[in-house]
Amino acid sequence: MPRKTRPIERELEPFRDASLLIIASEDTHAVEEYFTRFRARRVKFKVLPTDDGCSSPKDVLERLDEFRKEFPEDGDQFWYCGDTDHWIRPGHIKNLTEVLQQCRQKGYRVAISRPCFEFWLLLHFSEPSLPSDVTCADIVSQLRKFAQGYSKKSGCVRSRTPQMVVDATRRAKATSAVTEQIPSSPASQVYLIVEVLMERESIDLS
């Protein structure tokens, strides 16, 4: 009996003639909601969100490993998209550090946000000056001043313009030290993913 085609396989079929950019996130909705809002010229990326409550750095890494094992393809690019949040506390930072080391060993790329992905979203609206110990709750509070009604599930109600993405990238570059394994101050490396998608012509900002 022939093997049944799984939903994810059907999803990949239309664009499997090109390499993919796979993004594994600890968020259940926010990261996927952000990237799927782009106007895709031809979808060549896939977000693997948390859908089972397993959102630790090791869980995110395992999703990348599982995808690569089940859908091996030369040229695919894998990204770990995570937050520092409480993972940099004394009882957790060892786990995060080990996962980031494994990502480098496996050739996975990393886009860390401190304290959380919402800081990347905030950069679309302003260039905030925040203390190093700012919390994700503080960031969300700031974000809602510009995007009223923001939630991780529904994202930003306010429309995102091409210029806002350009501004966010510029601001992120000014606050992010890519050479730092874990940012020492509020920063986001998500712009690195956006730049790769633009280079591959997977998204259209116009």
Side-chain angles (χ1 to χ4, degrees):
M1 180 180 294
R3 183 173 62 89
K4 292 184 179 180
T5 302
R6 298 190 304 155
I8 191 171
E9 292 175 307
R10 290 195 296 269
E11 182 182 343
L12 296 178
E13 283 174 1
F15 49 92
R16 239 329 179 183
D17 60 330
S19 60
L20 297 177
L21 192 150
I22 312 301
I23 307 164
S25 165
E26 65 183 74
D27 278 296
T28 302
H29 302 288
V31 175
E32 184 175 39
E33 193 277 337
Y34 176 81
F35 281 103
T36 54
R37 278 200 181 197
F38 281 110
R39 181 184 301 134
R41 289 176 173 171
R42 187 166 182 271
V43 178
K44 298 177 184 176
F45 64 92
K46 178 170 181 58
V47 179
L48 307 176
T50 291
D51 58 7
D52 52 8
C54 298
S55 60
S56 74
K58 289 185 177 180
D59 292 324
V60 177
L61 177 60
E62 285 178 2
R63 279 200 291 281
L64 287 175
D65 289 339
E66 290 172 2
F67 188 95
R68 185 169 69 172
K69 181 179 179 180
E70 294 188 41
F71 304 97
E73 190 79 15
D74 291 340
D76 283 353
Q77 192 175 112
F78 295 84
W79 283 83
Y80 173 99
C81 183
D83 303 339
T84 59
D85 203 11
H86 63 278
W87 299 119
I88 57 174
R89 295 175 184 171
H92 299 283
I93 192 168
K94 181 180 178 181
N95 292 330
L96 176 58
T97 301
E98 289 177 350
V99 164
L100 296 184
Q101 289 174 344
Q102 290 180 52
C103 284
R104 289 200 302 272
Q105 293 168 359
K106 296 178 179 185
Y108 298 162
R109 304 193 183 193
V110 174
I112 292 288
S113 295
R114 179 172 182 153
C116 56
F117 180 77
E118 278 74 15
F119 182 75
W120 165 247
L121 300 181
L122 181 60
L123 291 176
H124 287 64
F125 302 99
S126 70
E127 194 165 0
S129 177
L130 301 167
S132 60
D133 61 350
V134 66
T135 67
C136 189
D138 294 332
I139 295 294
V140 171
S141 178
Q142 290 284 327
L143 179 60
R144 285 176 177 161
K145 293 179 181 180
F146 302 96
Q148 294 182 2
Y150 170 80
S151 71
K152 280 184 173 292
K153 186 172 183 178
S154 61
C156 290
V157 176
R158 181 173 169 179
S159 298
R160 180 181 62 208
T161 67
Q163 187 59 50
M164 289 167 67
V165 179
V166 171
D167 289 342
T169 298
R170 173 180 54 78
R171 292 163 180 160
K173 287 182 176 180
T175 60
S176 175
V178 180
T179 55
E180 285 187 303
Q181 179 171 288
I182 299 175
S184 57
S185 59
S188 179
Q189 299 165 352
V190 175
Y191 75 91
L192 296 170
I193 301 177
V194 173
E195 287 187 329
V196 172
L197 290 173
M198 291 177 65
E199 289 172 1
R200 292 186 172 203
E201 297 184 342
S202 292
I203 57 176
D204 187 357
L205 295 186
S206 61

